[in-house]
Amino acid sequence: MFGVYFDHEALSQEIAQLESETQSPHFWNEVQQAEKKMARMTHKKRVLSTSQKLEQSVKDIVQLYELCKEEAKNDDETWQELSTHIDTLTKEANSQKIGVILNGQYDSCDVFLTIQSGAGGTESCDWVKMLHRMYTRWFLENNYTHSTIDLLEAEGGYKSITMEVRGDFCYGYLKAENGVHRLVRISPFDSGARRHTTFASVYTSPIVNDETDMSINSEDIRIDTYRASGAGGQHVNKTDSAVRITHLETGIVVQCQNERSQHKNKNTALKILKSKLYQHKEYEKQSRLEKILAAKKNVSWGNQIRSYVFHPYSMVKDHRTQLETGNTQSVMDGALTPFMEAYLLEYH
């Protein structure tokens, strides 16, 4: 049962490789990359140790079962002992599943997270702002840091927002949030107090390092500059510092206006593009690209991964795992981990 998750030989080899790299006198020259490798090595060691302990427990239980079957058929006490061991092992295995599942090559990476408004106009922009608050609460609860890379404000809230999120196994968890999120509520913008259905999409991609083979040729992209939006008055941006980059082959568009420097915004936008191109490439390998892009293009009915219902009843339901809760306020305050873990357990 554990063979699905563990490859002891591969784990041991990767740990040995990482340990060898940490011995290099130049290892800490790039602090951020060094910290990532140290975190990955620690995780790999924990996974290997967990694997060995659980598999030894399975062997012990099998031996006890054989003993019960051959020598203690009518010994209720021995059978009860076996049952207790199985229950204990099951609890231990369940408690370790998520740590084991977050074993992908880029699960430990930081993330670019984009929230984009969909069908619903002003309602949708307000929904993006609400989702932004929900995720920032989750970041705080899990000791993640985040910064805004690009923000497009609109009436009622945000048309779109892109954040850079940093923390342990950031992408491993947040990849569960990819998709369309649906809100049902009485609209605060409707004088008739009618019920509205609103949509927004969430898209995450790992922040890949320079070692990743993902080059971007200048002839494959179009770079546009424009004046960044701001508060106005003395804060208004008087130069075209904001940068928008379009990847011509895939149609992927990224933009950044967070910095006053056009050069810095361009570098950040290229970093985001590299991340999204990597994700695009991975989806192609898994034959899921068409489905993902279709969901992103049609942010409306029938494509939602999760519904947040505030009226006529209270419920948040994930349509992929069927996990649901009536405590909508808790979810909006950042209680997202159960939904993420349910997705990871079912789809990995």
Side-chain angles (χ1 to χ4, degrees):
M1 64 182 284
F2 296 105
V4 175
Y5 302 111
F6 299 109
D7 184 338
H8 287 179
E9 184 177 354
L11 279 171
S12 297
Q13 290 177 353
E14 184 169 359
I15 290 170
Q17 175 62 33
L18 288 168
E19 286 180 333
S20 175
E21 291 178 21
T22 64
Q23 301 304 314
S24 168
H26 307 294
F27 179 71
W28 288 101
N29 287 357
E30 295 291 337
V31 176
Q32 194 174 93
Q33 294 304 321
E35 289 176 344
K36 284 293 180 185
K37 288 184 178 180
M38 291 296 292
R40 185 169 183 80
M41 183 174 68
T42 299
H43 178 66
K44 293 290 184 180
K45 287 182 176 180
R46 186 167 60 246
V47 169
L48 181 59
S49 176
T50 298
S51 165
Q52 293 169 336
K53 289 178 180 177
L54 291 177
E55 291 190 1
Q56 183 58 51
S57 295
V58 170
K59 291 178 182 178
D60 293 342
I61 287 176
V62 170
Q63 290 179 354
L64 183 57
Y65 171 74
E66 294 297 333
L67 176 65
C68 290
K69 188 172 66 172
E70 295 177 6
E71 302 179 12
K73 291 181 180 181
N74 300 316
D75 188 343
D76 292 340
E77 185 176 342
T78 303
W79 282 104
Q80 182 58 47
E81 181 184 355
L82 174 63
S83 178
T84 300
H85 280 302
I86 292 174
D87 288 343
T88 300
L89 176 62
T90 301
K91 291 177 182 178
E92 290 177 352
N94 286 337
S95 68
Q96 297 294 335
K97 276 183 180 179
I98 297 301
V100 171
I101 288 171
L102 295 182
N103 194 35
Q105 184 178 4
Y106 293 100
D107 282 346
S108 62
C109 284
D110 298 324
V111 166
F112 287 122
L113 183 148
T114 298
I115 311 172
Q116 178 76 43
S117 62
T122 301
E123 282 283 333
S124 182
C125 293
D126 184 49
W127 180 219
V128 170
K129 193 171 184 178
M130 292 168 66
L131 288 172
H132 172 257
R133 177 187 179 276
M134 179 184 76
Y135 284 118
T136 54
R137 291 295 182 93
W138 186 81
F139 300 156
L140 180 64
E141 185 70 23
N142 290 274
N143 297 315
Y144 285 9
T145 61
H146 71 281
S147 58
T148 299
I149 299 300
D150 187 70
L151 172 62
L152 181 58
E153 295 180 299
E155 182 181 0
Y158 305 147
K159 184 70 175 176
S160 67
I161 184 168
T162 296
M163 294 175 284
E164 181 175 343
V165 189
R166 297 189 177 277
D168 292 340
F169 296 95
C170 214
Y171 178 65
Y173 279 102
L174 286 170
K175 65 185 178 184
E177 297 303 292
N178 272 321
V180 177
H181 296 244
R182 170 177 172 252
L183 171 67
V184 180
R185 65 170 177 174
I186 298 295
S187 171
F189 304 101
D190 189 333
S191 59
R194 290 171 293 188
R195 187 174 64 179
H196 285 241
T197 299
T198 314
F199 302 90
S201 63
V202 174
Y203 183 71
T204 64
S205 57
I207 300 177
V208 294
N209 57 44
D210 293 334
E211 298 170 5
T212 305
D213 183 19
M214 183 60 66
S215 59
I216 300 176
N217 297 321
S218 58
E219 60 267 23
D220 295 334
I221 59 177
R222 184 179 71 246
I223 301 177
D224 300 306
T225 59
Y226 58 99
R227 189 162 299 180
S229 59
Q234 64 178 341
H235 302 289
V236 70
N237 196 326
K238 297 180 173 62
T239 62
D240 292 343
S241 61
V243 175
R244 181 185 298 110
I245 302 179
T246 304
H247 190 259
L248 301 177
E249 181 182 350
T250 62
I252 294 173
V253 179
V254 299
Q255 58 190 35
C256 182
Q257 58 176 325
N258 192 51
E259 302 287 347
R260 289 184 177 273
S261 164
Q262 184 185 112
H263 178 70
K264 290 182 178 179
N265 283 331
K266 179 182 176 181
N267 286 341
T268 300
L270 284 170
K271 189 177 179 182
I272 299 172
L273 179 59
K274 182 178 180 181
S275 173
K276 291 193 174 185
L277 285 174
Y278 163 77
Q279 190 75 309
H280 180 100
K281 185 177 180 180
E282 289 301 296
Y283 282 138
E284 280 186 323
K285 289 180 181 178
Q286 300 166 31
S287 300
R288 295 188 298 172
L289 179 60
E290 183 176 345
K291 178 180 177 181
I292 296 295
L293 292 182
K296 280 174 60 59
K297 289 177 181 177
N298 186 16
V299 187
S300 58
W301 285 100
N303 295 307
Q304 62 268 12
I305 63 165
R306 192 178 301 147
S307 291
Y308 306 72
V309 182
F310 294 176
H311 184 84
Y313 52 86
S314 294
M315 182 187 71
V316 177
K317 180 176 182 178
D318 195 295
H319 301 290
R320 302 163 300 178
T321 64
Q322 305 309 309
L323 179 66
E324 61 182 66
T325 177
N327 193 346
T328 55
Q329 188 58 54
S330 176
V331 174
M332 297 311 298
D333 284 339
L336 293 168
T337 301
F339 290 98
M340 295 177 182
E341 291 186 345
Y343 170 82
L344 293 170
L345 289 171
E346 184 159 336
Y347 288 90
H348 290 76

